[in-house]
Amino acid sequence: MPELSEVIAALDALWPPGRAEQWDAVGTVCGDVGNPDAEVRRVLFAVDPVQEIADEAVELGAQLLVTHHPLYLRGTTSVAADTFKGRVVHTLIRHGVALHVAHTNADTADPGVSDALAGALDLRVLGPLVPDPSDSEGRRGLGRVCELPRPMRLSELTEWAAQRLPVTAQGIRAAGDPDRLIRSIAVSGGSGDGLFAEVRAAGVDAYLTADLRHHPASEAREHSGLALLDAAHFATEWPWCEQAAAQLDEISDRHGWGLRTHVSRTVTDPWTAHAASYSSPSAPSGPNSGTDSSDSNELTSGAPN
């Protein structure tokens, strides 16, 4: 079995910490990396380092938890167990589980978060949306410009995305003519409404990302006929967990480590229910208007079981 330091070194080679944004907090959060007796037999990959995921790592018997989102993004002066983040740290340390984070350094990697998102949607990647100027091959960068496997109407593409991404209360929102034919699309895992200028420059028909706010989305729609698809933040980044686990599996096989990787199937999106609107603002509404709630604790049939 490999030492923890060997596995961490492999992860840092996949997603070099130096490629993370300056504001980001990536790398090893807790774990005795210098201890030669700290071996890794099981690794759990997840999006969020929340208590439910920490408990899952313990139950699994993992020695390493790898998450996309940082536990402490803005720093802290305490890891006291009476705070939820402190409880996560105490749980992991008490049970000998290290925590490692790959965030913006995984976003721009080759392959990165948006490659995994494109793969989940069966898209053909043409290149990065925002190329990394330090990459002479032009493969790294933020977001991806893609082609659909076949032209689809926006309404069909919306359903296509909903069937292939994890189930969340939000589902997939779309903006644009539902009958518009879509051939090309840009995707960006996570919050992507700061990239509208680059999306317009790419000349694509549609843009799929997460966390689209009212004003940027409204202005983007007024600026051009770009179709928008807005998925839950969690849903756009979960596919990376499977991609990352497969990358570590390949490294393990190459080195003969024999470690086992696991991908958490726990939906940690913070939103848990959705009620559709059934009346216009001028029409009366009330308790009999009806609701349509989603179960946010399962992944779609399009995601592996």
Side-chain angles (χ1 to χ4, degrees):
M1 288 294 152
E3 296 178 10
L4 175 61
S5 60
E6 293 178 291
V7 180
I8 295 298
L11 299 181
D12 283 345
L14 290 174
W15 315 296
R19 291 185 185 150
E21 296 290 338
Q22 290 186 347
W23 51 262
D24 206 359
V26 302
T28 304
V29 178
C30 66
D32 195 355
V33 179
N35 183 358
D37 294 327
E39 293 185 339
V40 177
R41 298 182 299 279
R42 292 178 183 267
V43 182
L44 178 65
F45 287 85
V47 175
D48 297 298
V50 294
Q51 186 64 46
E52 191 174 7
I53 297 298
D55 292 340
E56 184 178 341
V58 171
E59 183 178 355
L60 179 66
Q63 291 75 43
L64 175 61
L65 169 62
V66 180
T67 65
H68 182 52
H69 289 152
L71 179 63
Y72 289 106
L73 185 57
R74 293 176 175 82
T76 186
T77 59
S78 171
V79 293
D82 60 354
T83 65
F84 89 86
K85 292 188 178 184
R87 285 197 301 276
V88 170
V89 173
H90 280 254
T91 299
L92 295 176
I93 292 177
R94 185 183 307 118
H95 294 277
V97 184
L99 172 61
H100 188 82
V101 173
H103 192 211
T104 54
N105 49 330
D107 286 335
T108 58
D110 173 33
V113 170
S114 293
D115 290 294
L117 174 57
L121 299 173
D122 293 334
L123 305 175
R124 185 169 76 90
V125 173
L126 303 179
L129 177 63
V130 185
D132 181 345
S134 68
D135 178 19
S136 60
E137 297 183 0
R139 297 176 61 87
R140 292 197 309 269
L142 194 61
R144 294 294 184 267
V145 177
C146 309
E147 286 183 347
L148 272 64
R150 57 179 174 79
M152 298 183 194
R153 292 180 301 155
L154 176 58
S155 58
E156 182 185 3
L157 177 59
T158 305
E159 291 294 331
W160 176 275
Q163 292 170 8
R164 283 159 177 77
L165 295 179
V167 170
T168 60
Q170 172 181 319
I172 309 293
R173 301 189 299 178
D177 180 356
D179 290 325
R180 181 182 177 183
L181 202 60
I182 307 296
R183 294 181 173 85
S184 59
I185 185 171
V187 299
S188 182
S191 303
D193 64 14
L195 301 177
F196 279 128
E198 289 81 1
V199 171
R200 286 193 293 269
V204 293
D205 299 321
Y207 180 38
L208 185 150
T209 187
D211 299 341
L212 288 180
R213 295 168 295 166
H214 174 88
H215 292 295
S218 176
E219 291 174 7
R221 290 286 302 140
E222 293 295 325
H223 194 282
S224 70
L226 179 70
L228 303 178
L229 294 97
D230 182 33
H233 193 118
F234 169 87
T236 64
E237 294 181 332
W238 183 83
W240 172 82
C241 295
E242 291 212 317
Q243 175 181 276
Q247 288 178 278
L248 185 56
D249 279 337
E250 190 278 327
I251 293 172
S252 175
D253 291 343
R254 190 184 338 135
H255 292 287
W257 286 347
L259 60 77
R260 297 185 62 184
T261 62
H262 304 263
V263 176
S264 174
R265 311 191 72 79
T266 301
V267 176
T268 54
D269 187 76
W271 304 106
T272 58
H274 168 78
S277 299
Y278 288 96
S279 62
S280 67
S282 60
S285 61
N288 296 324
S289 60
T291 61
D292 179 16
S293 298
S294 301
D295 181 355
S296 65
N297 293 319
E298 296 180 357
L299 297 174
T300 64
S301 59
N305 293 319

